[in-house]
Amino acid sequence: MQGYVLTKTTEKNMELSNSLEQLNADIAKFQAQEYISKISEKNAMIERGWQRFVVIKDVFTAQK
């Protein structure tokens, strides 16, 4: 019985860890989008085909 409980606990831990990583990735994505929308260089973005690029200085958006 202890092995079963340990297995279920391990599975739940992995599931929660995966959810936490996904949430952190989503937060980082939204922080980066917010930062890009606020910078004044946004209008000077370089277009290549259907993609737009901007060069920005190093910014830490999420940390573990």
Side-chain angles (χ1 to χ4, degrees), residues 10-41:
T10 302
E11 289 174 0
K12 186 64 174 175
N13 184 32
M14 290 183 68
E15 180 182 323
L16 290 172
S17 292
N18 291 339
S19 296
L20 180 60
E21 285 183 30
Q22 184 61 48
L23 286 173
N24 285 335
D26 289 343
I27 289 170
K29 174 184 170 185
F30 291 124
Q31 286 175 336
Q33 288 174 342
E34 179 183 22
Y35 177 78
I36 290 172
S37 69
K38 288 182 179 179
I39 60 174
S40 61
E41 294 89 4

